[in-house]
Amino acid sequence: MFAGLRRQFARVKELDPAANNALHILFLYPHMTALFYYRIAHFLYTVHLPFLARLISNFARFLTGIEIHPGANIGKGLFIDHGMGVVIGETAVIGDDVLLYHQVTLGGLGNQKTKRHPTLKNGVSVGAGAKILGNITIGENARIGANAVVLKDIAANSTAVGMPAREVIKAQKKE
């Protein structure tokens, strides 16, 4: 648990030059609060206490403006910069060292009981206001531009922008 917390602090210091010290990060970065409550809610969700899990996640949303469903799977080192309005859906999967800016939505399409939210692989960066919708995969180290609407898979090491999003920088093929 403490190793994960140390990694989270290091990630914030790496990405935000305004992060002065651990006390500031712990109490003045809303995503830290949101992730703290998410970890508790996720545990409760996995032991089949969904009402209590959702109650805690709704409390965290009230405190931070960041909505994370307790069913989502989130890796280490997630940084949500200026997190107001971020929504992470129930079946979303987020890898390690992902960066999300404000008003990003990882949303579902439809109401089926299967996986309906996106998967973000390790190192993905998502610009402010982007909407990533459906059971799609964003490859490792891909970048999604601000306000992009992503409805299909994006290859690793690519950059996608626009509505609907299209890859403007394609991944380099290894020969």
Side-chain angles (χ1 to χ4, degrees):
M1 180 176 103
F2 291 111
L5 193 56
R6 274 194 298 275
R7 181 173 178 171
Q8 192 68 41
F9 278 98
R11 182 88 168 125
V12 172
K13 286 188 134 198
E14 169 193 340
L15 294 174
D16 190 350
N20 296 326
N21 59 52
L23 199 60
H24 283 173
I25 293 169
L26 186 61
F27 290 107
L28 303 177
Y29 282 72
H31 85 281
M32 295 293 285
T33 303
L35 289 173
F36 171 77
Y37 283 110
Y38 158 76
R39 300 286 180 202
I40 295 168
H42 183 69
F43 170 77
L44 294 169
Y45 192 82
T46 60
V47 296
H48 308 291
L49 295 170
F51 177 80
L52 192 53
R54 291 297 302 270
L55 186 66
I56 289 170
S57 69
N58 279 313
F59 178 69
R61 181 183 65 186
F62 171 78
L63 288 177
T64 66
I66 299 169
E67 182 175 343
I68 305 174
H69 192 286
N73 287 299
I74 298 176
K76 299 174 190 139
L78 172 63
F79 182 52
I80 305 173
D81 199 9
H82 303 286
M84 183 61 74
V86 167
V87 177
I88 300 173
E90 178 182 20
T91 60
V93 177
I94 299 175
D96 295 339
D97 299 322
V98 169
L99 171 61
L100 304 178
Y101 286 95
H102 66 279
Q103 295 183 336
V104 166
T105 298
L106 305 180
L109 293 174
N111 59 1
Q112 64 274 22
K113 297 287 185 192
T114 59
K115 181 159 174 23
R116 63 189 183 281
H117 296 91
T119 297
L120 278 59
K121 298 288 189 170
N122 297 341
V124 169
S125 176
V126 183
K131 310 302 178 215
I132 304 175
L133 306 173
N135 183 12
I136 61 174
T137 299
I138 310 301
E140 285 197 12
N141 302 310
R143 292 177 173 210
I144 307 300
N147 294 315
V149 177
V150 185
L151 301 171
K152 59 183 181 178
D153 292 351
I154 301 297
N157 303 305
S158 296
T159 299
V161 299
M163 291 186 243
R166 66 193 185 293
E167 290 181 34
V168 294
I169 299 175
K170 303 239 184 219
Q172 299 294 322
K173 292 184 180 179
K174 298 203 178 198
E175 298 181 26

PDB file of all heavy atoms in Angstrom, residues 134-152:
ATOM      1  N   GLY A 134     -17.188   3.385 -25.546  1.00  0.00           N
ATOM      2  CA  GLY A 134     -17.381   2.024 -26.018  1.00  0.00           C
ATOM      3  C   GLY A 134     -16.259   1.092 -25.613  1.00  0.00           C
ATOM      4  O   GLY A 134     -15.263   1.483 -25.007  1.00  0.00           O
ATOM      5  N   ASN A 135     -16.431  -0.156 -25.994  1.00  0.00           N
ATOM      6  CA  ASN A 135     -15.461  -1.207 -25.695  1.00  0.00           C
ATOM      7  C   ASN A 135     -14.348  -1.151 -26.734  1.00  0.00           C
ATOM      8  O   ASN A 135     -14.296  -1.952 -27.659  1.00  0.00           O
ATOM      9  CB  ASN A 135     -16.146  -2.572 -25.688  1.00  0.00           C
ATOM     10  CG  ASN A 135     -15.200  -3.690 -25.313  1.00  0.00           C
ATOM     11  OD1 ASN A 135     -14.090  -3.451 -24.840  1.00  0.00           O
ATOM     12  ND2 ASN A 135     -15.628  -4.915 -25.538  1.00  0.00           N
ATOM     13  N   ILE A 136     -13.462  -0.169 -26.574  1.00  0.00           N
ATOM     14  CA  ILE A 136     -12.344   0.013 -27.489  1.00  0.00           C
ATOM     15  C   ILE A 136     -11.049   0.034 -26.682  1.00  0.00           C
ATOM     16  O   ILE A 136     -11.079   0.149 -25.458  1.00  0.00           O
ATOM     17  CB  ILE A 136     -12.486   1.313 -28.319  1.00  0.00           C
ATOM     18  CG1 ILE A 136     -12.527   2.553 -27.412  1.00  0.00           C
ATOM     19  CG2 ILE A 136     -13.736   1.240 -29.202  1.00  0.00           C
ATOM     20  CD1 ILE A 136     -12.526   3.865 -28.173  1.00  0.00           C
ATOM     21  N   THR A 137      -9.929  -0.054 -27.392  1.00  0.00           N
ATOM     22  CA  THR A 137      -8.624  -0.069 -26.727  1.00  0.00           C
ATOM     23  C   THR A 137      -7.764   1.070 -27.257  1.00  0.00           C
ATOM     24  O   THR A 137      -7.652   1.257 -28.473  1.00  0.00           O
ATOM     25  CB  THR A 137      -7.912  -1.420 -26.965  1.00  0.00           C
ATOM     26  OG1 THR A 137      -8.730  -2.463 -26.413  1.00  0.00           O
ATOM     27  CG2 THR A 137      -6.545  -1.446 -26.303  1.00  0.00           C
ATOM     28  N   ILE A 138      -7.170   1.787 -26.340  1.00  0.00           N
ATOM     29  CA  ILE A 138      -6.200   2.825 -26.666  1.00  0.00           C
ATOM     30  C   ILE A 138      -4.833   2.234 -26.316  1.00  0.00           C
ATOM     31  O   ILE A 138      -4.566   1.916 -25.164  1.00  0.00           O
ATOM     32  CB  ILE A 138      -6.462   4.128 -25.863  1.00  0.00           C
ATOM     33  CG1 ILE A 138      -7.929   4.565 -25.973  1.00  0.00           C
ATOM     34  CG2 ILE A 138      -5.495   5.214 -26.304  1.00  0.00           C
ATOM     35  CD1 ILE A 138      -8.418   4.831 -27.378  1.00  0.00           C
ATOM     36  N   GLY A 139      -3.990   2.078 -27.329  1.00  0.00           N
ATOM     37  CA  GLY A 139      -2.708   1.387 -27.170  1.00  0.00           C
ATOM     38  C   GLY A 139      -1.715   2.122 -26.298  1.00  0.00           C
ATOM     39  O   GLY A 139      -1.846   3.326 -26.028  1.00  0.00           O
ATOM     40  N   GLU A 140      -0.683   1.416 -25.886  1.00  0.00           N
ATOM     41  CA  GLU A 140       0.338   1.973 -24.999  1.00  0.00           C
ATOM     42  C   GLU A 140       0.938   3.255 -25.565  1.00  0.00           C
ATOM     43  O   GLU A 140       1.208   3.346 -26.762  1.00  0.00           O
ATOM     44  CB  GLU A 140       1.449   0.950 -24.757  1.00  0.00           C
ATOM     45  CG  GLU A 140       1.033  -0.144 -23.814  1.00  0.00           C
ATOM     46  CD  GLU A 140       2.212  -0.907 -23.245  1.00  0.00           C
ATOM     47  OE1 GLU A 140       3.370  -0.469 -23.392  1.00  0.00           O
ATOM     48  OE2 GLU A 140       1.960  -1.945 -22.631  1.00  0.00           O
ATOM     49  N   ASN A 141       1.121   4.228 -24.666  1.00  0.00           N
ATOM     50  CA  ASN A 141       1.760   5.511 -24.966  1.00  0.00           C
ATOM     51  C   ASN A 141       1.058   6.319 -26.052  1.00  0.00           C
ATOM     52  O   ASN A 141       1.653   7.228 -26.628  1.00  0.00           O
ATOM     53  CB  ASN A 141       3.237   5.312 -25.325  1.00  0.00           C
ATOM     54  CG  ASN A 141       3.980   4.620 -24.215  1.00  0.00           C
ATOM     55  OD1 ASN A 141       3.890   5.019 -23.058  1.00  0.00           O
ATOM     56  ND2 ASN A 141       4.686   3.556 -24.542  1.00  0.00           N
ATOM     57  N   ALA A 142      -0.199   5.997 -26.334  1.00  0.00           N
ATOM     58  CA  ALA A 142      -0.967   6.785 -27.304  1.00  0.00           C
ATOM     59  C   ALA A 142      -1.373   8.098 -26.667  1.00  0.00           C
ATOM     60  O   ALA A 142      -1.454   8.219 -25.444  1.00  0.00           O
ATOM     61  CB  ALA A 142      -2.205   6.006 -27.754  1.00  0.00           C
ATOM     62  N   ARG A 143      -1.628   9.092 -27.522  1.00  0.00           N
ATOM     63  CA  ARG A 143      -2.083  10.400 -27.057  1.00  0.00           C
ATOM     64  C   ARG A 143      -3.406  10.720 -27.727  1.00  0.00           C
ATOM     65  O   ARG A 143      -3.547  10.572 -28.935  1.00  0.00           O
ATOM     66  CB  ARG A 143      -1.060  11.475 -27.404  1.00  0.00           C
ATOM     67  CG  ARG A 143       0.219  11.320 -26.638  1.00  0.00           C
ATOM     68  CD  ARG A 143       1.212  12.356 -27.057  1.00  0.00           C
ATOM     69  NE  ARG A 143       2.357  12.271 -26.172  1.00  0.00           N
ATOM     70  CZ  ARG A 143       3.108  13.289 -25.856  1.00  0.00           C
ATOM     71  NH1 ARG A 143       2.870  14.472 -26.358  1.00  0.00           N
ATOM     72  NH2 ARG A 143       4.130  13.134 -25.043  1.00  0.00           N
ATOM     73  N   ILE A 144      -4.333  11.185 -26.912  1.00  0.00           N
ATOM     74  CA  ILE A 144      -5.641  11.603 -27.411  1.00  0.00           C
ATOM     75  C   ILE A 144      -5.730  13.113 -27.201  1.00  0.00           C
ATOM     76  O   ILE A 144      -5.541  13.603 -26.090  1.00  0.00           O
ATOM     77  CB  ILE A 144      -6.789  10.892 -26.652  1.00  0.00           C
ATOM     78  CG1 ILE A 144      -6.597   9.373 -26.657  1.00  0.00           C
ATOM     79  CG2 ILE A 144      -8.133  11.315 -27.215  1.00  0.00           C
ATOM     80  CD1 ILE A 144      -6.555   8.732 -28.017  1.00  0.00           C
ATOM     81  N   GLY A 145      -6.029  13.846 -28.268  1.00  0.00           N
ATOM     82  CA  GLY A 145      -6.074  15.294 -28.195  1.00  0.00           C
ATOM     83  C   GLY A 145      -7.278  15.811 -27.432  1.00  0.00           C
ATOM     84  O   GLY A 145      -8.278  15.106 -27.239  1.00  0.00           O
ATOM     85  N   ALA A 146      -7.203  17.078 -27.034  1.00  0.00           N
ATOM     86  CA  ALA A 146      -8.296  17.721 -26.310  1.00  0.00           C
ATOM     87  C   ALA A 146      -9.566  17.715 -27.151  1.00  0.00           C
ATOM     88  O   ALA A 146      -9.522  17.911 -28.363  1.00  0.00           O
ATOM     89  CB  ALA A 146      -7.905  19.159 -25.958  1.00  0.00           C
ATOM     90  N   ASN A 147     -10.690  17.433 -26.495  1.00  0.00           N
ATOM     91  CA  ASN A 147     -12.024  17.426 -27.096  1.00  0.00           C
ATOM     92  C   ASN A 147     -12.225  16.382 -28.181  1.00  0.00           C
ATOM     93  O   ASN A 147     -13.227  16.428 -28.896  1.00  0.00           O
ATOM     94  CB  ASN A 147     -12.404  18.819 -27.612  1.00  0.00           C
ATOM     95  CG  ASN A 147     -12.542  19.797 -26.481  1.00  0.00           C
ATOM     96  OD1 ASN A 147     -13.145  19.491 -25.452  1.00  0.00           O
ATOM     97  ND2 ASN A 147     -11.952  20.965 -26.633  1.00  0.00           N
ATOM     98  N   ALA A 148     -11.310  15.444 -28.327  1.00  0.00           N
ATOM     99  CA  ALA A 148     -11.483  14.367 -29.302  1.00  0.00           C
ATOM    100  C   ALA A 148     -12.638  13.470 -28.862  1.00  0.00           C
ATOM    101  O   ALA A 148     -12.908  13.319 -27.673  1.00  0.00           O
ATOM    102  CB  ALA A 148     -10.204  13.550 -29.426  1.00  0.00           C
ATOM    103  N   VAL A 149     -13.317  12.880 -29.832  1.00  0.00           N
ATOM    104  CA  VAL A 149     -14.345  11.883 -29.561  1.00  0.00           C
ATOM    105  C   VAL A 149     -13.854  10.588 -30.203  1.00  0.00           C
ATOM    106  O   VAL A 149     -13.815  10.463 -31.426  1.00  0.00           O
ATOM    107  CB  VAL A 149     -15.718  12.289 -30.133  1.00  0.00           C
ATOM    108  CG1 VAL A 149     -16.733  11.184 -29.895  1.00  0.00           C
ATOM    109  CG2 VAL A 149     -16.186  13.597 -29.500  1.00  0.00           C
ATOM    110  N   VAL A 150     -13.454   9.645 -29.368  1.00  0.00           N
ATOM    111  CA  VAL A 150     -12.829   8.409 -29.846  1.00  0.00           C
ATOM    112  C   VAL A 150     -13.850   7.278 -29.781  1.00  0.00           C
ATOM    113  O   VAL A 150     -14.372   6.963 -28.713  1.00  0.00           O
ATOM    114  CB  VAL A 150     -11.576   8.065 -29.008  1.00  0.00           C
ATOM    115  CG1 VAL A 150     -10.872   6.844 -29.587  1.00  0.00           C
ATOM    116  CG2 VAL A 150     -10.626   9.250 -28.923  1.00  0.00           C
ATOM    117  N   LEU A 151     -14.099   6.669 -30.949  1.00  0.00           N
ATOM    118  CA  LEU A 151     -15.099   5.612 -31.047  1.00  0.00           C
ATOM    119  C   LEU A 151     -14.522   4.307 -31.578  1.00  0.00           C
ATOM    120  O   LEU A 151     -15.245   3.327 -31.724  1.00  0.00           O
ATOM    121  CB  LEU A 151     -16.250   6.061 -31.957  1.00  0.00           C
ATOM    122  CG  LEU A 151     -16.974   7.328 -31.513  1.00  0.00           C
ATOM    123  CD1 LEU A 151     -17.935   7.797 -32.599  1.00  0.00           C
ATOM    124  CD2 LEU A 151     -17.699   7.095 -30.202  1.00  0.00           C
ATOM    125  N   LYS A 152     -13.213   4.300 -31.897  1.00  0.00           N
ATOM    126  CA  LYS A 152     -12.576   3.071 -32.373  1.00  0.00           C
ATOM    127  C   LYS A 152     -11.166   2.974 -31.801  1.00  0.00           C
ATOM    128  O   LYS A 152     -10.621   3.955 -31.308  1.00  0.00           O
ATOM    129  CB  LYS A 152     -12.566   3.009 -33.898  1.00  0.00           C
ATOM    130  CG  LYS A 152     -11.844   4.143 -34.569  1.00  0.00           C
ATOM    131  CD  LYS A 152     -11.953   4.030 -36.080  1.00  0.00           C
ATOM    132  CE  LYS A 152     -11.189   5.173 -36.727  1.00  0.00           C
ATOM    133  NZ  LYS A 152     -11.215   5.115 -38.156  1.00  0.00           N
TER     134      LYS A 152
END
